[in-house]
Amino acid sequence: MDTSPMWYSCNCGGLLQLVQDFRALDVELLKRQFHERRAERHTLMASGVWRYKELIAPDLPTPYIVSRNEGNTGLYQSERVRSFTGVRQLWLKAQSENPSGSFKDNGMTAAVSHGRSLGYRKFACTSTGNTSSSLAIYAATAGLTSVVLVPDRDVALNKVLQTLAYGAQVRTFTGTYDDGIRWLDKYAEAEGLYVCNSVNPYRIEGQKSIVFELAQDLNWTLPDWIVLPGGALSNASALGKGLHDLYTLGFIDKLPRVAVIQAEGASPFHQMIASGGDALTPEVKPSTVASALNIGNPPSWRKARDVLHLTNGVTAAVSDNEIMEAKLLIDRSGIGAEPASAAAVAGLRKLVNEGAIHSEETAACIVTGHLLKDSDALRTYLDLPESIQHVRLQS
Ligand SMILES: *Cc1c(COP(=O)(O)O)cnc(C)c1O
């Protein structure tokens, strides 16, 4: 079957974004429908992404949609984590509860479904791990081929194993995530590959559902701040686009402020914002314990910058030690997270300490990935084998 070509970027050097026509939408009716759909179990509307189809991909024919009931993730409060950050009230949105264990599923279901609607059978991404395991799940679910490019170092082994287990073709290369993106940019079309990295605008549309669900769970209000980790900056871009939709349509009447947290060793976006600059200088050798944030040249930085402008947002960078300190607390709270997710909590604490966020304010942190995603990180603080007590069983 012939495929229609897919475009990801514009001649201006920026990424494409989808502009939806929402003029015919009735917000009160949609709120009722979104509420009723929460009772669905076995239809497409049981998905925490496709429940909001009217706001995500209204024209995508449903037979092409590949779904694993993604989204529908828990919203939790932990007194321990709250007091660590210092805000008055803290919500943790556990995107780690997605089918592949990270928020990437919210966007991946939309991208793979769209690629299918164009006739593609082969899907590709480059990834520090979570994008590839997410793509592998959706390709496997629909009986499609997935090809993933994984850097040969600084990647969490669990994520690669997970990707292989779902049947993806894994190709490893010497270089970073950024080199992988450049390769796909050049060769994907010729190889007939539909690219599922966050340069794909459907990923962004699908990821908007994270803030839709957060707002719906809180009865169409949002906390003062939404705090999330930033690597490629797709999640920050999607969050901002979702907020823009909710606000302009009238689902919410006040925009929260957004805080994007990067790891110190991979923080080109934070450095650009902190220095008041308007052009991103890539980090040539990114390095952080938070493998999902190990990105030196984030493709979505322009979109993320616009999100900060829209929401009067801020950025921060946290050290690997701060990340691991926050991770230990999230793990002990019973929610658990991989290091990249803990960066959001560490960053919130830092911003409160610096006075950028007031202790009387409220916040939600997006817990982006599951604790089991990175067992190397667990080993570094769990002190094995000393932390396991050997006992003699009496017969
Ligand atoms: C991808 C990812 C991030 C970073 O999100 P971006 O959209 O790349 O900024 C953070 N945490 C986890 C667990 C991820 O998988």
Side-chain angles (χ1 to χ4, degrees), residues 22-96:
F22 288 145
R23 277 172 304 185
L25 294 182
D26 173 342
V27 171
E28 290 311 313
L29 175 66
L30 280 178
K31 277 189 184 173
R32 265 202 313 282
Q33 287 174 330
F34 293 164
H35 179 70
E36 286 163 11
R37 290 171 186 170
R38 297 207 111 154
E40 300 277 340
R41 296 295 296 164
H42 302 293
T43 69
L44 187 58
M45 292 302 150
S47 156
V49 174
W50 299 106
R51 183 192 312 143
Y52 309 105
K53 184 169 188 296
E54 289 87 345
L55 305 183
I56 287 173
D59 301 326
L60 187 67
T62 54
Y64 293 112
I65 295 180
V66 197
S67 169
R68 283 288 315 279
N69 289 14
E70 50 289 313
N72 295 309
T73 58
L75 185 62
Y76 303 111
Q77 290 186 288
S78 155
E79 175 51 26
R80 251 176 122 163
V81 181
R82 183 207 64 77
S83 71
F84 176 75
T85 61
V87 288
R88 177 166 60 81
Q89 187 176 41
L90 176 67
W91 296 98
L92 297 168
K93 176 74 172 147
Q95 293 308 109
S96 45

Side-chain angles (χ1 to χ4, degrees), residues 318-350:
V318 288
S319 69
D320 283 359
N321 281 339
E322 289 169 314
I323 288 173
M324 291 308 287
E325 186 190 8
K327 172 176 156 57
L328 188 139
L329 259 154
I330 301 167
D331 291 353
R332 290 287 192 270
S333 78
I335 295 165
E338 65 169 282
S341 318
V345 169
L348 175 57
R349 174 184 165 91
K350 178 169 258 181

Side-chain angles (χ1 to χ4, degrees), residues 103-104 130 229-235 292-293 338 340 368-369:
F103 80 84
K104 299 297 197 300
N130 284 334
L233 299 168
S234 80
N235 211 18
L293 305 183
E338 65 169 282
T368 47

Side-chain angles (χ1 to χ4, degrees), residues 101-104 127-131 159 177 198 203-204 207 228-238 260-262 290-295 298-300 338-342 366-370 373:
S102 85
F103 80 84
K104 299 297 197 300
S127 170
T128 60
N130 284 334
T131 302
K159 300 176 185 178
Y177 168 91
S198 55
R203 280 270 309 276
I204 305 290
Q207 284 170 205
L228 81 179
L233 299 168
S234 80
N235 211 18
S237 305
V260 178
I261 315 300
Q262 295 205 290
S291 58
L293 305 183
N294 204 29
I295 293 171
S300 293
E338 65 169 282
S341 318
I366 311 295
V367 179
T368 47
H370 198 280
K373 284 284 193 173

Side-chain angles (χ1 to χ4, degrees), residues 1-8 60 63-66 110-125 135 138-140 142-147 184-185 187-196 200-202:
M1 184 157 101
D2 280 345
T3 55
S4 317
M6 174 69 188
W7 304 100
Y8 307 94
L60 187 67
Y64 293 112
I65 295 180
V66 197
V112 172
S113 301
H114 176 258
R116 253 181 125 197
S117 79
L118 295 182
Y120 283 87
R121 306 285 308 164
K122 278 161 65 183
F123 294 73
C125 70
L135 172 58
Y138 286 95
L144 303 161
T145 301
S146 56
V147 179
L184 285 173
D185 201 29
Y187 301 111
E189 192 59 41
E191 288 209 25
L193 297 166
Y194 181 90
V195 177
C196 290
N200 183 309
Y202 285 86

